Amino acid sequence: MILRALFLLLALVSGAATALAAAPLAHSIDAVLDLPGKRLLVTDAITLPEPRTAAELTLTLAPSAAGLAVEAGGNVLKPARSGETVRVTPPKGAMAVTLRYTIALGQPPQAGPGGTDNPGALADEAVAGPDWAMLMPGSLWHPAGLTGQDAYHLRVSATGGVKAVSQGGLEGFSQEGENTVSTWNVRKPVGRLGLCLARYVFEERRETLPGGSAVAVQTFFLPESKVSPDIYLEAAARHLRFYSELHGPYPLEKFAVVENPLPTGYGFPSYTLLGSQVLALPFIPETSLRHEVAHGWWGNGVLVAGESGNWCEGLTTYVADYLAQELAAPAEGKAYRLRTLRAFSALTAQTPGADMPLERFGSRFSAASQAVGYGKAIFVFHMLRGFTGDEAFWAGLRHIYAAKLFQPAAWEDFRETFAGQGEFSQERGRRFMEQWLTRTGGPVMSLDQATSEPDPAGGWVVKAEAVQKGAPYLLRLAAQVDYEGGTQRTEFVMEGERAGFELRTPGKPLRLRLDPDADCFRLLDPSEVPPSVNTVKGARELRVLVAADAPQGVRAALPVLLGGLGQTKAAVLEEEKLTPEQKRSLESGNVLVLGMPRFPLPGLRDVMPDAPGADTVFAALEREGGCVAVFQASARGDAGADAQAVVQAVVQAANKVTHYGSFGLLGFAGGRNVLKATLEPRRTPMLREFD
Ligand SMILES: [Zn+2]
């Protein structure tokens, strides 16, 4: 919506020099929903801004708005319509202009847009079902001036207990004869209005937020809804408090969660419109809902300037989806960053040409645009935070929010705010933004010249260089040495192709890692993407080796395991019957091992100790030219009274492996998952093991 409004503004404002359009307009809209007739009857009385001189009033309205009649001060006016534009010239002294027209409501789409966080303002449906209707802002169902800052008083009337939801604050519901009238007051500049109507069950809580402002938290759920409003009311209130504290006062009158008969996941200023199935997913209150609430500050509070790229998805994802993980545990934050890097690296490797500069990102339309506009963008904010330090970073965001509320902001505003803070000098600020906004891809990095030597003065000295391929990026990097007895860390800024650094440790160094916490955006080396269950699912020419002393349960589970992995055609070899040739062939390619064979197999190691407490383990391990996976159980299960139960637990575990596709190490106890993890890659260009 924001982008669209700005493009319209740019396109139209130059030709409207004598128009009234410069000032925001005040609308009083009366709408009647006619469900049998599948139409919305609209009357909009627009108060003209002062001073009133005879001048043209330019509005936008759906070209499909039928039977448009315009009058002002008792005079019938003849509107000039061209596409989405309506021009009328009210007589001198007229106080108001009234428009009347009808919007036809179409059939609901067969399959609605999937997923969540589609910017709903871009959608243009105006559709109705038997007892509901949905009009998106992009349908242009009501007249709007060109500033995108109009105010609205909205009365919507419908029969059969149908209530209406829109932006702004709720004035109330009233009964007039057979009709329910819903009244909304939209005083904040939120752009075009959406309108949803259904037999909603309405719940509301009034919350006092940090800073003292009051906000209404609401749910509009369908009568047949299976979801408890309390869960959403509590979560939304908690998220509103969190961001009020982090960024500043919530800028809108309410936040509402609205259930939609269509499978949408739309976000609008002050409400989110979620399909019934999405709403019922148990993780939505802590994920998508948090994200949509955070948009109240970024995207719907501070607006996105149209030309220089959409920063608001990256920032919203950073302060919502990402920050929730980081606050839960630093390791969860690192895991999120690694997932993001893997997604970006996989994308650029698989689909060269799908990548684009961040400044060209407008909204998500593909995996590629998501990897850039959400993925790379969260790293821009994360690396900015690294340069400025935590305190300056959060203070800077508060400053931008206060200074730019309801105004468009660009990446340039973030550069200006943060340049000069911490290690982020003016010159670095320019270079940082330029490289992340205008270049595709990312740094390709490695460690070089790593040495570890005893220091004559005591302890040890580790020296190494960070190296980048291609035109160098400005980066702030960390390096970490694990030594006998602890870890030692250093941080430095890299400006060119090489940057040397040095660490001193009291104990003997074991290994050195560059960017140990994945704080830096870069293209991962293929060796940095560890194998997972998905790797085994996709492995070509997988062979299965059943070890001579593989426990009973593991043997019994084999058909279930192979079925889940989609590898039922894999050749199965018994260790006792291996020919020397077969034995050699297992040293390369993709192999799944059941139990532990007696002979050494390259890449295979005992993973039971990595999963304490588990009785059954699945692990995908990397090796040269393929992957070796292992499925093991600790109990033999071939003797004793509970033998059958032991076998059954292993089979249950095998049955579940397929559901943990992105993980490389799984542990099960009694058939229940107790561990899901990704093993650290053993050899990468960012790691040096010392002898
Ligand atoms: Zn979003």
Side-chain angles (χ1 to χ4, degrees):
M1 158 211 62
I2 297 148
L3 296 179
R4 185 186 188 117
L6 276 164
F7 291 145
L8 282 173
L9 184 63
L10 291 172
L12 296 174
V13 93
S14 56
T18 60
L20 288 165
L25 305 170
H27 302 249
S28 182
I29 297 177
D30 243 297
V32 179
L33 177 65
D34 171 14
L35 274 171
K38 290 265 189 279
R39 57 190 188 148
L40 190 73
L41 312 169
V42 186
T43 304
D44 180 14
I46 301 173
T47 306
L48 295 173
E50 303 276 352
R52 293 186 311 279
T53 52
E56 198 174 62
L57 175 65
T58 305
L59 303 163
T60 54
L61 179 65
S64 61
L68 177 64
V70 186
E71 56 110 359
N75 303 305
V76 174
L77 306 183
K78 192 170 161 35
R81 296 182 79 174
S82 159
E84 295 173 350
T85 307
V86 178
R87 289 192 174 86
V88 293
T89 308
K92 205 169 183 175
M95 309 279 285
V97 171
T98 302
L99 295 85
R100 287 190 180 79
Y101 57 90
T102 305
I103 296 283
L105 302 174
Q107 292 294 324
Q110 287 301 312
T116 55
D117 193 41
N118 297 305
L122 295 170
D124 58 3
E125 295 104 329
V127 295
D131 59 354
W132 59 268
M134 179 182 89
L135 294 95
M136 293 288 98
S139 71
L140 313 186
W141 67 271
H142 65 86
L146 300 180
T147 63
Q149 310 222 323
D150 291 2
Y152 301 87
H153 185 263
L154 177 62
R155 280 181 99 251
V156 186
S157 175
T159 56
V162 168
K163 297 188 182 78
V165 191
S166 186
Q167 281 101 310
L170 177 65
E171 219 160 78
F173 304 108
S174 60
Q175 206 60 32
E176 292 183 7
E178 294 204 330
N179 288 345
T180 303
V181 177
S182 313
T183 309
W184 292 87
N185 230 326
V186 188
R187 292 280 166 254
K188 304 286 170 70
V190 291
R192 288 187 160 278
L193 306 185
L195 186 61
C196 292
L197 301 109
R199 289 182 218 278
Y200 285 125
V201 177
F202 169 67
E203 300 281 346
E204 181 180 57
R205 275 189 203 175
R206 301 201 69 85
E207 285 285 326
T208 304
L209 297 176
S213 62
V215 65
V217 187
Q218 303 166 340
T219 53
F220 291 83
F221 286 2
L222 297 172
E224 63 272 23
S225 183
K226 299 197 170 51
V227 184
S228 153
D230 287 344
I231 291 172
Y232 276 89
L233 291 170
E234 185 278 321
R238 182 159 36 80
H239 301 326
L240 287 162
R241 284 196 297 273
F242 178 83
Y243 293 107
S244 298
E245 210 146 305
L246 188 65
H247 296 319
Y250 181 61
L252 303 168
E253 298 93 334
K254 64 132 188 326
F255 187 87
V257 182
V258 183
E259 184 171 359
N260 194 0
L262 293 179
T264 58
Y266 286 145
F268 302 97
S270 83
Y271 69 105
T272 182
L273 183 60
L274 300 174
S276 302
Q277 286 180 349
V278 173
L279 197 71
L281 296 171
F283 50 82
I284 295 292
E286 299 308 318
T287 55
S288 304
L289 180 69
R290 178 193 290 266
H291 182 104
E292 295 307 332
V293 169
H295 268 312
W297 282 261
W298 309 111
N300 297 328
V302 179
L303 311 178
V304 176
E307 304 102 273
S308 64
N310 178 355
W311 50 265
C312 97
E313 287 308 338
L315 182 54
T316 302
T317 306
Y318 189 67
V319 301
D321 311 56
Y322 167 74
L323 191 61
Q325 299 295 310
E326 187 195 288
L327 292 175
E332 295 296 321
K334 177 185 172 182
Y336 189 106
R337 296 192 294 272
L338 268 176
R339 280 201 299 278
T340 306
L341 291 180
R342 284 186 190 129
F344 188 92
S345 301
L347 171 97
T348 41
Q350 285 158 11
T351 329
D355 190 8
M356 62 177 171
L358 184 50
E359 66 178 0
R360 293 229 316 265
F361 173 75
S363 67
R364 176 173 61 179
F365 56 86
S366 63
S369 60
Q370 176 161 1
V372 175
Y374 290 64
K376 186 186 264 189
I378 69 155
F379 266 93
V380 171
F381 289 103
H382 188 69
M383 292 183 292
L384 198 52
R385 185 177 160 198
F387 268 107
T388 62
D390 264 13
E391 204 175 310
F393 177 74
W394 297 115
L397 289 185
R398 286 182 79 89
H399 171 81
I400 292 174
Y401 175 67
K404 288 283 180 178
L405 183 58
F406 296 128
Q407 295 171 51
W411 282 109
E412 178 63 10
D413 293 297
F414 290 91
R415 187 194 65 74
E416 268 178 21
T417 300
F418 289 107
Q421 309 254 15
E423 296 172 2
F424 204 59
S425 66
Q426 294 288 345
E427 195 275 323
R428 282 180 174 172
R430 270 188 293 276
R431 187 174 164 192
F432 178 93
M433 284 299 181
E434 208 259 345
Q435 72 193 16
W436 296 121
L437 294 180
T438 65
R439 291 174 70 173
T440 55
V444 175
M445 306 204 56
S446 57
L447 261 179
D448 195 21
Q449 308 286 336
T451 59
S452 157
E453 276 167 17
D455 188 343
W460 296 71
V461 185
V462 172
K463 290 182 185 171
E465 289 182 6
V467 183
Q468 297 187 52
K469 268 189 208 155
Y473 284 77
L474 166 72
L475 302 170
R476 192 168 180 285
L477 288 167
Q480 180 176 304
V481 173
D482 298 342
Y483 63 87
E484 282 173 352
T487 62
Q488 184 72 36
R489 201 182 146 92
T490 184
E491 291 173 10
F492 57 96
V493 173
M494 181 174 197
E495 313 243 6
E497 286 171 26
R498 284 178 174 267
F501 61 93
E502 178 176 311
L503 287 124
R504 282 163 194 280
T505 62
K508 184 169 186 254
L510 302 172
R511 66 189 65 83
L512 170 65
R513 279 177 213 282
L514 188 57
D515 191 27
D517 294 323
D519 288 312
C520 170
F521 186 84
R522 61 191 178 87
L523 296 179
L524 299 181
D525 188 84
S527 68
E528 289 179 86
V529 183
S532 61
V533 171
N534 284 337
T535 314
V536 184
K537 283 184 181 178
R540 291 182 176 202
E541 293 171 20
L542 182 77
R543 281 148 308 144
V544 180
L545 173 66
V546 182
D549 53 1
Q552 181 65 30
V554 162
R555 288 172 184 267
L558 180 60
V560 171
L561 183 64
L562 289 181
L565 295 170
Q567 292 280 12
T568 48
K569 293 198 175 120
V572 179
L573 305 169
E574 292 278 347
E575 185 180 358
E576 289 112 320
K577 297 177 189 162
L578 281 181
T579 65
E581 199 182 321
Q582 281 174 329
K583 203 167 168 179
R584 250 197 322 279
S585 78
L586 292 171
E587 287 170 8
S588 62
N590 299 310
V591 177
L592 169 64
V593 183
L594 270 65
M596 268 290 143
R598 293 181 185 132
F599 67 98
L601 196 60
L604 181 66
R605 61 191 175 83
D606 185 6
V607 290
M608 288 303 293
D610 295 332
D615 58 46
T616 307
V617 173
F618 177 92
L621 306 166
E622 57 180 325
R623 73 170 180 181
E624 205 76 50
C627 156
V628 57
V630 58
F631 186 65
Q632 265 178 285
S634 55
R636 294 194 54 84
D638 51 5
D642 59 349
Q644 198 50 42
V646 169
V647 169
Q648 204 168 344
V650 178
V651 174
Q652 275 171 10
N655 198 28
K656 287 179 181 166
V657 166
T658 183
H659 300 305
Y660 297 90
S662 64
F663 295 95
L665 174 63
L666 301 172
F668 299 88
R672 207 166 45 80
N673 179 260
V674 292
L675 170 76
K676 49 184 203 289
T678 300
L679 292 162
E680 289 276 332
R682 301 244 129 185
R683 271 171 304 147
T684 89
M686 304 290 275
L687 172 69
R688 171 67 199 271
E689 300 268 1
F690 297 117
D691 300 328

mmCIF file of all heavy atoms in Angstrom, residues 117 291-292 295 312-313 316-317 374, ligand 1:
data_model
loop_
_atom_site.group_PDB
_atom_site.id
_atom_site.type_symbol
_atom_site.label_atom_id
_atom_site.label_comp_id
_atom_site.label_asym_id
_atom_site.label_seq_id
_atom_site.Cartn_x
_atom_site.Cartn_y
_atom_site.Cartn_z
ATOM 1 N N ASP A 117 2.291 -12.999 6.267
ATOM 2 C CA ASP A 117 3.016 -11.767 6.028
ATOM 3 C C ASP A 117 3.064 -11.359 4.566
ATOM 4 O O ASP A 117 4.051 -10.835 4.103
ATOM 5 C CB ASP A 117 4.452 -11.841 6.583
ATOM 6 C CG ASP A 117 5.079 -10.455 6.618
ATOM 7 O OD1 ASP A 117 4.359 -9.512 6.982
ATOM 8 O OD2 ASP A 117 6.257 -10.320 6.253
ATOM 9 N N HIS A 291 5.566 -10.699 14.515
ATOM 10 C CA HIS A 291 6.051 -9.984 13.330
ATOM 11 C C HIS A 291 5.046 -8.899 12.902
ATOM 12 O O HIS A 291 5.427 -7.755 12.656
ATOM 13 C CB HIS A 291 6.268 -11.011 12.211
ATOM 14 C CG HIS A 291 6.802 -10.453 10.932
ATOM 15 N ND1 HIS A 291 8.116 -10.600 10.552
ATOM 16 C CD2 HIS A 291 6.206 -9.750 9.944
ATOM 17 C CE1 HIS A 291 8.305 -10.018 9.390
ATOM 18 N NE2 HIS A 291 7.157 -9.491 8.996
ATOM 19 N N GLU A 292 3.758 -9.252 12.870
ATOM 20 C CA GLU A 292 2.757 -8.270 12.429
ATOM 21 C C GLU A 292 2.622 -7.134 13.440
ATOM 22 O O GLU A 292 2.409 -5.986 13.061
ATOM 23 C CB GLU A 292 1.407 -8.947 12.185
ATOM 24 C CG GLU A 292 1.408 -9.955 11.046
ATOM 25 C CD GLU A 292 1.947 -9.407 9.733
ATOM 26 O OE1 GLU A 292 1.842 -8.185 9.485
ATOM 27 O OE2 GLU A 292 2.507 -10.194 8.948
ATOM 28 N N HIS A 295 5.383 -4.684 12.868
ATOM 29 C CA HIS A 295 5.142 -3.815 11.703
ATOM 30 C C HIS A 295 4.427 -2.521 12.114
ATOM 31 O O HIS A 295 4.469 -1.546 11.369
ATOM 32 C CB HIS A 295 4.297 -4.539 10.655
ATOM 33 C CG HIS A 295 5.108 -5.264 9.613
ATOM 34 N ND1 HIS A 295 6.161 -4.672 8.949
ATOM 35 C CD2 HIS A 295 4.999 -6.520 9.109
ATOM 36 C CE1 HIS A 295 6.669 -5.551 8.080
ATOM 37 N NE2 HIS A 295 5.997 -6.671 8.165
ATOM 38 N N CYS A 312 11.885 -2.381 5.524
ATOM 39 C CA CYS A 312 11.058 -2.653 6.710
ATOM 40 C C CYS A 312 10.850 -4.138 6.955
ATOM 41 O O CYS A 312 10.675 -4.549 8.096
ATOM 42 C CB CYS A 312 9.757 -1.867 6.673
ATOM 43 S SG CYS A 312 8.343 -2.752 6.059
ATOM 44 N N GLU A 313 10.887 -4.990 5.916
ATOM 45 C CA GLU A 313 10.764 -6.425 6.180
ATOM 46 C C GLU A 313 12.003 -6.927 6.924
ATOM 47 O O GLU A 313 11.905 -7.735 7.840
ATOM 48 C CB GLU A 313 10.541 -7.208 4.888
ATOM 49 C CG GLU A 313 9.146 -7.037 4.288
ATOM 50 C CD GLU A 313 8.006 -7.298 5.264
ATOM 51 O OE1 GLU A 313 8.207 -7.991 6.278
ATOM 52 O OE2 GLU A 313 6.901 -6.783 5.017
ATOM 53 N N THR A 316 11.806 -5.520 10.565
ATOM 54 C CA THR A 316 10.736 -6.183 11.320
ATOM 55 C C THR A 316 11.127 -7.620 11.638
ATOM 56 O O THR A 316 10.942 -8.099 12.762
ATOM 57 C CB THR A 316 9.419 -6.136 10.516
ATOM 58 O OG1 THR A 316 9.104 -4.764 10.256
ATOM 59 C CG2 THR A 316 8.271 -6.776 11.281
ATOM 60 N N THR A 317 11.682 -8.324 10.664
ATOM 61 C CA THR A 317 12.115 -9.703 10.894
ATOM 62 C C THR A 317 13.235 -9.735 11.933
ATOM 63 O O THR A 317 13.288 -10.627 12.783
ATOM 64 C CB THR A 317 12.591 -10.337 9.571
ATOM 65 O OG1 THR A 317 11.546 -10.204 8.606
ATOM 66 C CG2 THR A 317 12.901 -11.817 9.740
ATOM 67 N N TYR A 374 14.552 -10.282 3.206
ATOM 68 C CA TYR A 374 14.442 -10.647 4.610
ATOM 69 C C TYR A 374 15.814 -11.117 5.116
ATOM 70 O O TYR A 374 16.297 -10.669 6.130
ATOM 71 C CB TYR A 374 13.416 -11.770 4.817
ATOM 72 C CG TYR A 374 11.963 -11.378 4.601
ATOM 73 C CD1 TYR A 374 11.493 -10.973 3.358
ATOM 74 C CD2 TYR A 374 11.056 -11.434 5.649
ATOM 75 C CE1 TYR A 374 10.149 -10.641 3.162
ATOM 76 C CE2 TYR A 374 9.719 -11.103 5.473
ATOM 77 C CZ TYR A 374 9.268 -10.706 4.227
ATOM 78 O OH TYR A 374 7.955 -10.371 4.045
HETATM 79 ZN ZN ZN B 1 6.545 -8.426 7.272
#
